[in-house]
Amino acid sequence: MYLSKLKSGIKDFTSSVQRIPQCLPDSHCYLCQQPTQRLICEVCEQDCLFFNTPVLPDNLLLWPPIKKGLVSGRYTSVHACSYYQWPMDHLINQYKNGHPQLTQTLADWFVAYALPSDPFLPDCILPVPTSSWRFARRRYHQTLLLANAIGRRLSIPVHANWASRRSFQRKQQSLGRRERLNNLKRAFALSKDPLPSRVAILDDVVTTGATAAALSNMIYSAYPETSVALWALAITPAKADPGALVSGQIRQQRVLLQQY
Ligand SMILES: [Zn+2]
């Protein structure tokens, strides 16, 4: 009698323990650490600051403070979610350093906050190539993962091997503006695969725009008819303007209003 009660007690306990994970949230929010089913909870997403479009132009290159901070190249438009500042800097840093599970969330944010609701989409996405030593260190190519996730959302193909990055290059910091561009030009090689008429170069962060300028100039030399857009999660501002940003909650409300 006692033994059978003990056995049934153990059975109940075991089945309760097995059910615990189903009752608990899958993870904690990357920003506020509160338990949530999502990687970034809804409250944090609504509190995050994104570019205040359509008050700002959808094409950020038409907005002087952004244009002024970027090295000009053969790209004709720039789309990004926000400045490279909290929380985007934290999320992108995490994403690049061992947290590829953020791919889908960041891709969803790009589609929701960087692109207009009826975007004029490119024919393909070109992720900025990574060097083999960076790939060996990270064990994933974060920009390619991001491109694939955005491509799936928008039904656009991704050209993964459109260019390659040579491992050796001189350190950019010690070089002047023109030398930097030449150095970057030597750092990349275009593949022989033809490109369609509209492409989007995708990078995680655009700092000076020198990489995009070098790559878009190379594309222009090989395919003068191809128009190049620059897509990124975030832009490092020359001088951040807080008035350029608005909360995720307001951006979401604008989308809802457009639907009615
Ligand atoms: Zn949160």
Side-chain angles (χ1 to χ4, degrees):
M1 182 71 177
Y2 175 75
L3 193 63
S4 71
K5 272 194 174 174
L6 182 66
K7 274 184 182 169
S8 107
I10 290 173
K11 201 174 162 191
D12 287 349
F13 175 76
T14 310
S15 78
S16 307
V17 167
Q18 282 168 348
R19 278 202 301 274
I20 285 174
Q22 294 163 17
C23 308
L24 290 176
D26 290 342
S27 63
H28 289 76
C29 172
Y30 264 82
L31 296 176
C32 68
Q33 307 303 318
Q34 294 296 313
T36 173
Q37 298 283 346
R38 302 157 40 136
L39 295 181
I40 298 164
C41 75
E42 207 164 329
V43 175
C44 281
E45 181 175 345
Q46 291 188 344
D47 280 351
C48 284
L49 294 176
F50 300 98
F51 283 126
N52 191 9
T53 53
V55 176
L56 255 62
D58 289 322
N59 176 3
L60 295 169
L61 206 55
L62 300 177
W63 193 53
I66 292 276
K67 187 180 166 72
K68 217 185 294 174
L70 297 177
V71 174
S72 57
R74 294 282 178 175
Y75 54 93
T76 54
S77 64
V78 174
H79 289 91
C81 298
S82 187
Y83 285 134
Y84 187 61
Q85 61 184 32
W86 174 265
M88 289 305 284
D89 55 351
H90 171 73
L91 292 174
I92 294 170
N93 222 353
Q94 295 272 298
Y95 181 48
K96 289 164 83 164
N97 292 290
H99 296 262
Q101 59 270 34
L102 282 165
T103 302
Q104 192 59 52
T105 301
L106 292 172
D108 291 344
W109 280 21
F110 179 82
V111 173
Y113 299 112
L115 296 181
S117 50
D118 55 344
F120 185 56
L121 293 172
D123 300 313
C124 74
I125 303 175
L126 309 176
V128 169
T130 191
S131 63
S132 47
W133 71 267
R134 277 207 183 108
F135 182 76
R137 201 184 60 180
R138 286 199 183 111
R139 299 186 187 170
Y140 59 94
H141 179 189
Q142 80 278 2
T143 316
L144 175 59
L145 294 182
L146 189 66
N148 285 334
I150 294 172
R152 275 194 303 274
R153 278 286 312 267
L154 300 174
S155 303
I156 305 174
V158 173
H159 285 206
N161 300 314
W162 68 285
S164 57
R165 188 167 197 144
R166 299 187 177 102
S167 291
F168 175 78
Q169 62 187 100
R170 290 171 68 192
K171 277 196 175 164
Q172 289 283 98
Q173 290 91 328
S174 59
L175 304 175
R177 191 184 171 98
R178 184 178 288 272
E179 284 176 309
R180 278 182 183 216
L181 269 176
N182 285 334
N183 190 43
L184 275 168
K185 207 172 162 185
R186 282 192 294 271
F188 295 105
L190 282 187
S191 82
K192 298 248 183 314
D193 296 341
L195 291 178
S197 57
R198 292 193 317 269
V199 300
I201 294 175
L202 176 70
D203 208 349
D204 42 22
V205 182
V206 169
T207 305
T208 61
T211 300
L215 287 169
S216 61
N217 291 347
M218 289 170 75
I219 291 174
Y220 179 76
S221 299
Y223 310 99
E225 304 298 322
T226 294
S227 76
V228 181
L230 173 57
W231 287 4
L233 291 172
I235 295 180
T236 304
K239 192 178 171 199
D241 173 10
L245 303 173
V246 75
S247 72
Q249 188 177 23
I250 292 178
R251 289 288 307 269
Q252 289 172 7
Q253 284 168 355
R254 284 178 189 159
V255 172
L256 286 174
L257 279 172
Q258 274 182 347
Q259 290 170 355
Y260 288 105

